[in-house]
Amino acid sequence: MAEAVCGARPWDSPTSCPQPQGPSCPIRSAAGSEMEVLEEKEEEEQKEEELKALEISSELHDTETKLSVEQVCFSSDVLDFDWNSIDTSQLPDSYKMNSPREKKLLRIADHYHQQYAHLCPERKPLFLHPVNECGVEKFVSTTVRPTLLPYTELYHWDGCASFISDYLTMEPLKCPLTPPSSLYSPTTILKYQRGNCFDFSVLLCSMLIGAGYDAYCVNGYATHDICSLDETLEECPLLRKPQEVPKEEVKKSNKYRVKSPPDMHSKFELQQEAKKKAETEATEKKEREERGMEAEEPTRDHLCGLRVHAWVLVLSGKREVPETFFIDPFTGNSHSTVDEQFLGIESVWNHKNYWVNMQDCWNGCKDLVFDLSDAVHWEIMLSETDKPLQLLLGAEKENELFDRNVDDMEEEEEEEKEEISFAMPPSWVAPIQISPKEFETRCSQGRKVILYKKAKLEKWAPYFNGNGLVKRLTVYADSSYTKVVEVKEWFKNREDMLDMREVNKQTQLTTEYFSPGHLFGLKVHTYKSMNPQTERVMEFYTETRVDGLQKLAENANEMKEYFVGRDDFKYFQHTEFRTKRKKVTLVGTRTDVNSRPIVQIKECFHRNLQKPADEDIAERVFLIEEEMIQLTYHLKDKYITASKKDFFKPAESYRKQSEIMTPEMCITYQAGSSEQHTKLVHLYKLLQELTEEEKQLKQQVQRSQAEVLKILEIRENEEADIKLSASIYDTERNEKKRQEYEAMMNAKKDEFPGQKEQDLDYLAPFLIQIGSPEKMTKRQALRLRDDCLSDFKNRLVSKANIIQARFEKEVEELQKKNQRFQENQNQLSEKEEADFLADYSETMFRIHILALRLDREKQTAPQKYLALEEKLRKDPRLAEHLGHA
C-alpha cells in the first residue's frame, strides 16, 4: 500500500515516524568519470536503503493492512459543499481553454515528468497540472496570480496570513496520501470562501508575492494536527508569554575581587530531593492517567510521514525578511524551517518556475537547504539562465545515444534547449479583488471558533454584535471545556472607547481597558463590584487631565492617588477614612452615599532642586482627628536623617481667644544642628498656610470621591445603552448623513454657476480682485502672492487673539468666583459649596484646554505660513513668475 501511495521508501527505524525520502538519483546527469563515481555511490546508498527497508517491511505491512479505505480517504459526506454544482458559465475564456503558450508549457511539463519518473521511480508523481474548476488542465505556476490589495493590513505577511485563515473555511483533502486532482483559481476560492490546503496556499502565495515577498507554494508532508487543523493540543497564541532574553553579565577579570564563597550544599541531599521530586511527578502522572487526563496526549498516527500538505515558504532577503520561514495557511502562524511538524518537501513553485527537491528528508525539513539556485539540491524545470541544464543524460540514455546518428542528437538537443529556455506564461486567473465589505466581514458567516488546549477563541466581524464584541478568549481548567477560569473580550468601534475586558471567574475580578478619548481620560478600570466605595483601581491618561492623576486605588477605608508631571512635584496622596459614615450628596452626583470622615491625608513630593533640601518638603501628613500636621523634608547630601516639623493646632476655643504661637505648638528637628533657627512668627505663618491647604485638600478629596461616583454612574449608563461609532468614510453605516449631504449639495447645485470650482480654488477671492485674468503678469502674480500671505497671516493672528481673549476671560471669571466663595464661605450650604466645586473643576478644565490650544497655535503658525508660501510658489498659475522669487 505504501508503495502504491508513496513509492518504495525506507524509514530510519521501525518505531520512528516515517519521513518522506528525498531522491535517490538526480534528474540531471554528468558525463565522464564524475558520473561513474556518482553512480557507484548511488548504488551503494540504494543497497543500504534496501536492507533497511527489508528490516521494517513486515511491520509496515501490518500497519498498512490495518488501515482500511475508510480510514485513509474521507467520504463525500464529510464535505458539505458540492463543488460540482458551482456556476462556471460566467468565468473568462482563460478559465475554459489554454493559450498556445500554455499548451506548450503542458508538453514541457509532461516531458519533464517522464524524465523525473524514469530516474526516480520510487518517488511520488509530481503535482504539475491539475484541472481547474472548468475541467481544464492548468500548470500550477500559472494559477498563482500576484496581487497587492489596497488594504494596509495586507501589506505584511502576518496580515495576509491572518486574513486567509479567517476568511476561508478549511476542507480536508479527499485522500490524505495524495495531492488533489484539481486546483481551482484563487478568485473562485474567494467567492465560495472554502478550499483545501493547496487552495489556501496558492491564494496566500499570490498575496505575498504581490506584497513584495519571495514566497513559494510547497507540496510536502506534515503531521496529522497540521493537516487536519487540530489545535486542541496547542497553546493559544494569545496566552503565550514572550520569551525573556537573559541578560548576559559581563564578568570583568579582577585579581583583587573577593572570591565567591564555596557551595556548602550537600550533593547527597540534592540527589535525594531530585529523587523525591521524580517520585512525586510519577505519582501525579499516574493519578492523571487514572482520571483520564492521558487523553490530552497525542496518539500515534499510523500515517505519519505520508500525509500530504501544502503550505507557503518565504525566503529571506526581500522585504527585509531576516530568516527563511514557513507559513501554515490554515492557522496563519509562522513556523521555523526546522519545525518537527513539517516532515518533508516534494516540490515548490511560484508564478515564475517550478523546483523539485533533490534532498533527503530523513530528518524532516531540518537539514534542507533552501537555496533554489543550487542545482544540486533543487531541480528547476524552466532554466532561468541562458545556459540550459543538461537533463536526462543517465546511464541508460547514454547507451541509447550510441545507436543514434549525430544529426538526430543535434535535433534533440535543440528541442531540449528550446523547452528549457521557455518563459512561464502569464497567469490565467482573473484579477483578485476583495471588496471593503468582504475584507471587514472576514470570518465566514461573520463568526469563527477555534479550540486550543484548554481554551476557546471566538472571532466576529466588526458590527456583527451590538456591543462591538469582535473577539473572545475563554480559558478553561479542563480539556472538556466545562470549568471556566478566565474570559477575555476585545471590542471595536465603541463610543465609550472600551477596548478590552478581562474577567477572572475565580477571583471575580474584572479589568477593563480603554482607548484614549474617554470622557474622564479613563485608561484601566479594575473592580469586583460597581457599587460605590468598594475595592477598585482606576488608571488614567495623564495627558488629558489637569491634575496629572495617573492612578487611583480605593476601598472602604482608604484612597490612594498617584500623580505625574505636577508643578508642585507631588506624586502620591494617601487618604484614610473612618468606618463611621453619614449620608450626604457628593459633588456632581445625584445619589445619596455614605460619606466617610477623613482620618488623615498623607502627601509625598519629589525633590525640587531649586530649593535647599532642608526647605523642600518630602512628606506631609495631616492628622485630621488629632489636629496635628507632620512635615518631613528631603535629605541633605551626606546626611542620614531628615529635618522634621510637627505642628499641633490649638483647640477651637483657644484659637478664637488668641492667635499667639507658642513653642509647644511646634516641635522642630533640624538635621545637622541642635538649635532652633526658625522664629515663631515664621512658624505661625507656616501653620496658617498648612491649615488653609488642609481645607483645600479636604475639598480635593471630596472632588475625587465625586469623580469616582460620576465615572461609575457613566459606566453603568454606557453599558446599559451601548452605542457603536462609524467612520465618516463608512457610507453604508452613515447612510442618513450621506443623504443629508447629497440633498444639501443638490439644493446648492444651480445656485451659482461655477460656484463649485470656485469653492475648490483657494485663490478664487484674490483672482476676483484683479479681474480673473486668463494669464497674469509678474506684477499681478506678486500682488496675488502678497495679498494671499497677508490675509493668511491676519487670520492666524486673529485666531490666536480670539483664543487668548477667551483664556483671559475664563481666568478672570475664575478669580471672581473664587473671591466670592472666600467672602461667603461660612454662609454657604453644603449644596451650594458642592455646586461651586463642580463649577470650579469645569472652569479649570476649560482654562487648561485653551492654554494647550494657544500654545499649539503659536508653534504651528510659522509652519503653516511657510507651507502656504511653498504652495504658492509651486502653483502652476504663479510658478512662471515666482519660481525664482
Side-chain angles (χ1 to χ4, degrees):
M1 179 177 178
E3 294 180 3
V5 176
C6 303
R9 280 187 257 161
W11 293 277
D12 48 0
S13 65
T15 58
S16 65
C17 179
Q19 304 286 346
Q21 182 190 359
S24 59
C25 57
I27 296 180
R28 299 171 304 280
S29 67
S33 58
E34 295 181 359
M35 185 62 198
E36 293 177 359
V37 173
L38 289 174
E39 289 177 354
E40 291 177 0
K41 290 182 179 180
E42 290 169 1
E43 290 178 359
E44 293 177 0
E45 292 176 357
Q46 188 172 1
K47 289 180 181 179
E48 293 178 359
E49 292 172 355
E50 290 176 355
L51 290 174
K52 291 181 181 179
L54 290 174
E55 292 176 359
I56 64 170
S57 59
S58 59
E59 180 178 346
L60 178 61
H61 179 73
D62 295 340
T63 302
E64 291 168 352
T65 53
K66 292 177 183 178
L67 296 172
S68 61
V69 177
E70 289 77 11
Q71 290 175 299
V72 174
C73 298
F74 292 93
S75 63
S76 59
D77 296 335
V78 176
L79 307 177
D80 55 355
F81 182 80
D82 184 13
W83 284 102
N84 296 324
S85 63
I86 65 174
D87 182 17
T88 60
S89 60
Q90 303 298 324
L91 294 176
D93 293 338
S94 60
Y95 286 60
K96 303 174 183 178
M97 61 181 67
N98 284 319
S99 65
R101 292 185 64 189
E102 287 180 306
K103 292 178 181 178
K104 186 174 182 179
L105 177 62
L106 293 178
R107 291 196 299 270
I108 295 174
D110 289 335
H111 182 56
Y112 182 84
H113 189 268
Q114 290 174 6
Q115 300 171 16
Y116 167 82
H118 177 72
L119 289 181
C120 303
E122 78 285 354
R123 293 187 65 179
K124 282 180 120 180
L126 295 176
F127 185 66
L128 290 172
H129 43 73
V131 298
N132 65 358
E133 53 266 47
C134 297
V136 180
E137 289 187 356
K138 296 287 185 178
F139 191 70
V140 290
S141 293
T142 60
T143 309
V144 179
R145 177 65 186 259
T147 304
L148 178 62
L149 294 167
Y151 303 104
T152 307
E153 183 180 346
L154 302 184
Y155 292 170
H156 305 279
W157 74 263
D158 49 350
C160 294
S162 175
F163 174 77
I164 295 299
S165 63
D166 290 342
Y167 190 74
L168 301 182
T169 301
M170 170 264 188
E171 287 185 352
L173 295 173
K174 292 183 179 179
C175 183
L177 305 181
T178 57
S181 58
S182 61
L183 182 63
Y184 291 176
S185 66
T187 54
T188 299
I189 297 302
L190 282 172
K191 180 179 179 181
Y192 295 99
Q193 291 187 249
R194 59 197 313 114
N196 55 44
C197 54
F198 286 84
D199 301 320
F200 274 64
S201 299
V202 170
L203 177 57
L204 177 57
C205 188
S206 300
M207 296 172 63
L208 292 177
I209 296 175
Y213 289 93
D214 192 9
Y216 302 82
C217 298
V218 180
N219 172 25
Y221 307 90
T223 60
H224 176 268
D225 293 343
I226 289 288
C227 296
S228 60
L229 189 55
D230 184 4
E231 300 180 86
T232 54
L233 296 179
E234 296 289 334
E235 185 180 10
C236 179
L238 298 175
L239 297 176
R240 295 174 189 164
K241 297 181 179 179
Q243 296 181 353
E244 296 182 358
V245 180
K247 296 182 180 179
E248 297 182 358
E249 296 182 359
V250 180
K251 295 183 179 180
K252 297 182 180 180
S253 59
N254 186 1
K255 62 181 181 179
Y256 299 108
R257 66 182 178 85
V258 180
K259 294 182 179 180
S260 57
D263 187 7
M264 304 300 293
H265 295 91
S266 171
K267 295 182 179 180
F268 176 76
E269 292 180 354
L270 294 176
Q271 292 176 356
Q272 293 297 317
E273 290 179 1
K275 185 177 179 181
K276 187 181 296 184
K277 184 178 180 181
E279 292 176 354
T280 305
E281 291 179 354
T283 305
E284 292 177 354
K285 184 177 180 182
K286 187 175 180 181
E287 292 177 355
R288 286 199 305 268
E289 291 177 354
E290 292 176 355
R291 293 196 303 265
M293 296 295 289
E294 72 278 0
E296 293 183 7
E297 300 184 5
T299 57
R300 182 184 176 188
D301 181 18
H302 296 290
L303 295 179
C304 184
L306 305 177
R307 296 184 182 275
V308 174
H309 188 59
W311 63 93
V312 174
L313 165 69
V314 180
L315 296 183
S316 59
K318 289 187 177 181
R319 289 293 304 269
E320 300 181 356
V321 175
E323 188 177 356
T324 300
F325 63 95
F326 295 148
I327 301 178
D328 181 22
F330 282 163
T331 62
N333 297 331
S334 63
H335 298 265
S336 170
T337 55
V338 298
D339 196 318
E340 296 181 352
Q341 298 182 95
F342 297 91
L343 307 177
I345 294 178
E346 288 284 357
S347 59
V348 301
W349 69 90
N350 63 0
H351 63 301
K352 293 182 178 179
N353 221 320
Y354 189 94
W355 294 263
V356 177
N357 178 29
M358 307 304 294
Q359 307 169 71
D360 285 335
C361 297
W362 294 105
N363 198 20
C365 299
K366 296 180 180 179
D367 302 327
L368 296 187
V369 177
F370 290 98
D371 182 8
L372 299 182
S373 62
D374 187 347
V376 175
H377 296 130
W378 296 91
E379 185 65 54
I380 194 171
M381 194 183 85
L382 301 178
S383 176
E384 295 180 330
T385 63
D386 296 334
K387 297 180 180 180
L389 297 174
Q390 300 295 326
L391 296 180
L392 272 186
L393 294 177
E396 296 181 5
K397 185 172 180 181
E398 287 183 356
N399 295 333
E400 295 176 1
L401 292 178
F402 288 108
D403 299 332
R404 301 182 184 178
N405 54 38
V406 179
D407 295 336
D408 294 339
M409 289 177 56
E410 291 179 354
E411 292 178 1
E412 185 174 336
E413 287 180 0
E414 290 297 330
E415 291 178 359
E416 290 181 354
K417 289 180 180 179
E418 183 181 357
E419 290 179 357
I420 295 172
S421 60
F422 177 78
M424 186 70 66
S427 177
W428 54 273
V429 179
I432 299 174
Q433 297 179 350
I434 300 175
S435 66
K437 184 177 181 180
E438 292 172 340
F439 179 73
E440 183 185 85
T441 304
R442 296 180 72 102
C443 307
S444 180
Q445 299 179 353
R447 183 175 183 265
K448 183 177 182 180
V449 180
I450 307 174
L451 294 179
Y452 293 99
K453 182 179 180 181
K454 298 182 180 179
K456 180 174 69 172
L457 180 62
E458 301 169 90
K459 296 181 179 180
W460 291 272
Y463 301 102
F464 186 86
N465 295 313
N467 60 352
L469 181 64
V470 294
K471 187 163 55 177
R472 177 193 291 147
L473 176 64
T474 308
V475 182
Y476 298 88
D478 57 341
S479 299
S480 56
Y481 307 100
T482 56
K483 299 178 181 178
V484 180
V485 175
E486 185 181 14
V487 178
K488 295 183 179 181
E489 296 177 326
W490 287 263
F491 303 87
K492 276 187 178 181
N493 307 310
R494 287 187 49 146
E495 288 191 355
D496 60 3
M497 310 309 293
L498 180 63
D499 187 49
M500 179 185 174
R501 179 187 289 132
E502 294 180 1
V503 181
N504 191 317
K505 297 295 184 179
Q506 296 178 332
T507 61
Q508 298 301 317
L509 197 66
T510 302
T511 304
E512 296 177 335
Y513 300 86
F514 297 83
S515 300
H518 192 267
L519 181 61
F520 286 90
L522 191 61
K523 183 178 182 180
V524 183
H525 184 198
T526 304
Y527 60 93
K528 289 185 177 181
S529 171
M530 290 295 287
N531 295 329
Q533 300 177 3
T534 55
E535 186 175 357
R536 72 184 67 258
V537 177
M538 292 181 178
E539 296 181 25
F540 301 88
Y541 290 97
T542 56
E543 301 85 359
T544 62
R545 295 193 59 93
V546 180
D547 56 358
L549 181 62
Q550 182 186 39
K551 180 180 176 182
L552 185 148
E554 75 159 352
N555 54 36
N557 301 320
E558 62 180 357
M559 180 170 63
K560 297 179 181 179
E561 297 173 275
Y562 301 82
F563 305 90
V564 292
R566 286 177 62 110
D567 296 335
D568 58 359
F569 295 91
K570 183 166 74 171
Y571 67 90
F572 177 69
Q573 179 174 313
H574 181 204
T575 307
E576 293 184 9
F577 303 97
R578 192 153 33 88
T579 56
K580 184 180 179 181
R581 306 173 183 180
K582 61 179 180 178
K583 284 193 174 183
V584 297
T585 303
L586 289 181
V587 182
T589 65
R590 292 173 292 179
T591 308
D592 290 337
V593 296
N594 291 321
S595 176
R596 298 169 290 179
I598 300 174
V599 176
Q600 76 170 30
I601 302 175
K602 176 183 175 181
E603 296 177 294
C604 297
F605 300 85
H606 287 301
R607 180 76 172 89
N608 184 1
L609 299 178
Q610 296 180 355
K611 294 182 179 181
D614 53 359
E615 295 180 10
D616 187 15
I617 298 176
E619 182 179 291
R620 188 165 64 180
V621 181
F622 296 92
L623 302 174
I624 310 298
E625 295 184 343
E626 299 177 14
E627 296 287 334
M628 182 178 176
I629 302 174
Q630 296 177 346
L631 301 181
T632 304
Y633 295 86
H634 284 278
L635 284 172
K636 293 193 294 185
D637 293 339
K638 300 180 182 180
Y639 278 78
I640 61 174
T641 58
S643 301
K644 294 184 179 181
K645 286 187 178 71
D646 293 344
F647 290 93
F648 299 90
K649 292 189 291 184
E652 188 69 24
S653 58
Y654 180 81
R655 211 177 306 171
K656 292 180 180 179
Q657 296 176 3
S658 175
E659 295 184 356
I660 300 175
M661 182 75 180
T662 61
E664 291 79 12
M665 295 171 61
C666 179
I667 300 176
T668 304
Y669 167 72
Q670 189 73 23
S673 175
S674 58
E675 299 180 3
Q676 183 175 347
H677 299 283
T678 309
K679 296 182 178 180
L680 290 178
V681 176
H682 299 300
L683 293 176
Y684 178 71
K685 290 182 178 180
L686 179 59
L687 178 59
Q688 285 185 322
E689 292 176 2
L690 292 174
T691 304
E692 184 63 29
E693 290 183 4
E694 180 181 327
K695 295 180 181 179
Q696 295 179 4
L697 272 178
K698 290 180 181 179
Q699 297 174 1
Q700 188 265 327
V701 170
Q702 288 186 0
R703 288 197 297 269
S704 297
Q705 294 183 77
E707 183 179 12
V708 171
L709 296 177
K710 189 67 176 178
I711 291 175
L712 295 180
E713 182 182 348
I714 290 177
R715 286 295 302 130
E716 289 179 351
N717 296 335
E718 290 172 343
E719 289 297 327
D721 183 18
I722 297 176
K723 296 180 180 179
L724 302 182
S725 61
S727 171
I728 58 174
Y729 304 105
D730 192 345
T731 56
E732 293 186 3
R733 295 185 177 86
N734 284 331
E735 182 67 21
K736 183 178 180 181
K737 293 183 179 180
R738 185 178 65 85
Q739 291 177 357
E740 292 177 355
Y741 177 76
E742 290 179 354
M744 181 184 66
M745 295 304 295
N746 291 333
K748 293 183 178 181
K749 189 174 182 180
D750 301 327
E751 197 168 317
F752 298 101
Q755 183 67 29
K756 182 177 181 181
E757 289 75 9
Q758 291 186 8
D759 290 342
L760 300 177
D761 187 4
Y762 69 103
L763 291 179
F766 307 99
L767 288 171
I768 294 175
Q769 294 178 6
I770 61 174
S772 301
E774 295 183 0
K775 188 174 182 180
M776 286 184 288
T777 63
K778 185 174 182 180
R779 182 177 180 181
Q780 290 175 329
L782 292 174
R783 177 188 171 187
L784 188 68
R785 181 197 64 177
D786 295 340
D787 291 347
C788 184
L789 290 175
S790 177
D791 181 75
F792 184 68
K793 181 179 179 181
N794 293 334
R795 289 176 59 189
L796 291 176
V797 173
S798 176
K799 185 177 180 181
N801 291 335
I802 292 173
I803 298 176
Q804 180 71 32
R806 291 179 180 175
F807 176 81
E808 294 174 353
K809 183 179 178 181
E810 290 289 346
V811 172
E812 184 179 356
E813 290 182 357
L814 181 64
Q815 292 175 350
K816 291 180 179 179
K817 292 179 181 178
N818 192 26
Q819 184 178 359
R820 288 197 300 269
F821 177 77
Q822 296 294 336
E823 294 174 353
N824 305 320
Q825 183 177 4
N826 298 329
Q827 302 175 5
L828 295 178
S829 62
E830 292 185 1
K831 186 178 183 305
E832 291 174 340
E833 185 175 351
D835 292 340
F836 167 77
L837 294 176
D839 186 48
Y840 182 87
S841 178
E842 292 178 2
T843 306
M844 286 296 297
F845 178 76
R846 289 196 299 269
I847 291 174
H848 178 69
I849 295 300
L850 289 170
L852 291 177
R853 289 183 59 190
L854 184 61
D855 184 61
R856 184 172 65 246
E857 194 66 29
K858 290 180 180 179
Q859 292 179 359
T860 59
Q863 301 173 3
K864 293 178 180 179
Y865 186 85
L866 294 175
L868 178 60
E869 190 175 12
E870 183 67 19
K871 186 176 181 180
L872 289 170
R873 187 180 295 111
K874 294 181 179 180
D875 193 294
R877 295 164 292 183
L878 307 176
E880 181 182 355
H881 306 293
L882 304 181
H884 304 286

